[in-house]
Amino acid sequence: MNIAVTGATGTMGRTVIETANDRPDVTVAFGIDQAAEEGPIDGVRVYAPSELEALLEESRPNVLVDFSAPAATLSFVKAAADAGVAVVIGTTGFDEAGLSTLRDASETVPVLKASNFARGVWALLRAVEDAVRAVPGYDIEVTETHHNRKVDAPSGTANTILERIDSVRGEAEKVYGRKGNQPREGDEIGVFARRAGNIRGEHEVLLAGNDEVLTLTHRAESRRVFAEGALDAAVWLAGSHPGWYGFADVLGDA
Ligand SMILES: NC(=O)c1ccc[n+]([C@@H]2O[C@H](COP(=O)([O-])OP(=O)(O)OC[C@H]3O[C@@H](n4cnc5c(N)ncnc54)[C@H](OP(=O)(O)O)[C@@H]3O)[C@@H](O)[C@H]2O)c1
């Protein structure tokens, strides 16, 4: 199994390369990053984005694994689709137009996108659905905490949690932070994004009512958990038919 890594000198890209190098089932052919001069990463050469098309043709990786930034991802995925290479996308923060471009690419090659590659987060999502079903009418608030360099807010994972809550209770109004005279209204869901230090990623769902409080929390203690999940996804995706996939497919939980 041969992969290419885009966003290779970023925090996640580096972790993906280092994690792959520790696994017997994955080899990293090359990395791509606009900061290519920061390479090589753990022995893997890193090239400028302008070289991606030629490198894909030359080394024919099975899968391109992307942890970069939305605009960059769109151009990387186009190059992969043109070359017939499958893509695993960890990058978050796409707008509707971006998501639609990614879905278009999935008509040509297999595309697997997940806002979170931690297996525990998928257990959290199932637990949240169960909990919301079990306590109808309780107030729900969602809080996520990440390192101080994270760009998009709320996190892609928080958005996935909100979708799961809506899938059980119907679509609720989301209130992104509160300030001044802003009492809680009806079944709105408050959403809070904290940014501090080097925190890898925490998500908490608070359900409260009827004199009781239930909290469900996931905390990533190392970025390796995301890298391992993304590599498991790449191994699963290699050889799949063109189409749009998620991490639930890898976990057999679709
Ligand atoms: N799905 C998951 O499980 C998961 C887990 C963690 C993070 N993420 C997501 O993964 C993404 C990356 O996170 P990170 O913490 O690794 O961020 P990061 O440290 O900023 O890494 C992103 C890398 O992509 C590079 N890049 C940006 N624009 C580019 C372009 N146009 N061409 C080539 N390279 C470009 C950046 O270069 P510069 O530094 O020069 O800008 C940087 O090296 C984010 O969207 C984050 O939310 C997802």
Side-chain angles (χ1 to χ4, degrees):
M1 226 328 264
N2 212 3
I3 64 165
V5 177
T6 46
T9 68
T11 313
M12 274 309 301
R14 284 171 192 268
T15 311
V16 168
I17 292 172
E18 288 163 5
T19 306
N21 284 349
D22 287 344
R23 287 175 60 139
D25 56 344
V26 185
T27 306
V28 186
F30 62 88
I32 293 284
D33 202 288
Q34 61 188 2
E37 69 283 357
E38 289 179 23
I41 305 295
D42 205 20
V44 172
R45 283 192 67 182
V46 181
Y47 299 85
S50 57
E51 301 195 58
L52 177 59
E53 285 172 24
L55 285 161
L56 288 174
E57 287 302 332
E58 197 182 299
S59 50
R60 311 286 328 154
N62 303 94
V63 182
L64 184 139
V65 177
D66 173 78
F67 283 89
S68 59
T73 304
L74 296 181
S75 71
F76 298 150
V77 170
K78 182 180 183 314
D82 289 348
V85 173
V87 195
V88 167
I89 301 168
T91 302
T92 60
F94 295 95
D95 58 16
E96 284 304 322
L99 285 174
S100 151
T101 304
L102 297 178
R103 280 186 180 273
D104 288 348
S106 74
E107 288 174 15
T108 312
V109 292
V111 176
L112 189 152
K113 180 180 176 307
S115 58
N116 200 307
F117 282 106
R119 284 169 187 265
V121 160
W122 291 85
L124 173 72
L125 292 173
R126 285 196 295 274
V128 167
E129 284 187 11
D130 280 352
V132 172
R133 239 177 246 119
V135 293
Y138 280 28
D139 295 333
I140 303 179
E141 305 267 323
V142 174
T143 303
E144 55 97 341
T145 311
H146 283 85
H147 56 84
N148 56 21
R149 289 166 292 97
K150 184 164 177 63
V151 180
D152 53 315
S155 67
T157 304
N159 286 328
T160 305
I161 291 170
L162 292 166
E163 283 167 18
R164 294 294 185 104
I165 296 169
D166 283 350
S167 75
V168 176
R169 279 211 322 195
E171 190 166 346
E173 188 193 343
K174 315 297 179 302
V175 175
Y176 296 92
R178 294 193 184 87
K179 190 180 179 195
N181 293 329
Q182 201 182 347
R184 200 172 206 288
E185 302 270 353
D187 66 351
E188 72 182 28
I189 301 176
V191 185
F192 303 89
R194 304 190 297 178
R195 297 290 175 264
N198 192 31
I199 295 169
R200 272 81 169 157
E202 290 180 15
H203 292 87
E204 183 202 83
V205 181
L206 168 74
L207 305 100
N210 197 27
D211 287 330
E212 63 177 345
V213 177
L214 168 64
T215 54
L216 300 168
T217 305
H218 177 273
R219 186 172 60 247
E221 302 205 318
S222 157
R223 291 189 176 86
R224 279 217 169 214
V225 71
F226 307 124
E228 290 283 9
L231 292 168
D232 290 345
V235 170
W236 181 89
L237 192 66
S240 296
H241 294 297
W244 183 254
Y245 302 97
F247 199 42
D249 295 303
V250 181
L251 302 176
D253 189 31

